[in-house]
Amino acid sequence: MKFIKEKNKKNRDYILQKDDTTKTMSTFVIVVLIVLVIAVVASGVYFLNN
């Protein structure tokens, strides 16, 4: 099983594609995960100080 599908290939045995939708959604997921990590750290700091 291949990890990334090239644009011009027609195989179905892949996990990700090299297209704009995959890049956009990957960026969105990474940003959301970073925001969640920052929220957890901020809440931990807040509750330790109170």
Side-chain angles (χ1 to χ4, degrees), residues 9-47:
K9 298 204 177 183
K10 294 190 179 197
N11 61 343
R12 297 177 57 105
D13 192 23
Y14 60 90
I15 297 173
L16 298 173
Q17 295 183 24
K18 282 190 176 180
D19 61 358
D20 292 332
T21 304
T22 303
K23 291 177 186 176
T24 303
M25 293 311 295
S26 298
T27 304
F28 175 74
V29 168
I30 290 169
V31 168
V32 167
L33 288 174
I34 290 171
V35 168
L36 288 173
V37 168
I38 291 171
V40 168
V41 170
S43 65
V45 169
Y46 175 76
F47 287 119

Side-chain angles (χ1 to χ4, degrees), residues 1-12:
M1 177 178 282
K2 294 189 178 191
F3 190 68
I4 296 176
K5 175 186 172 188
E6 298 293 330
K7 284 186 178 182
N8 298 332
K9 298 204 177 183
K10 294 190 179 197
N11 61 343
R12 297 177 57 105

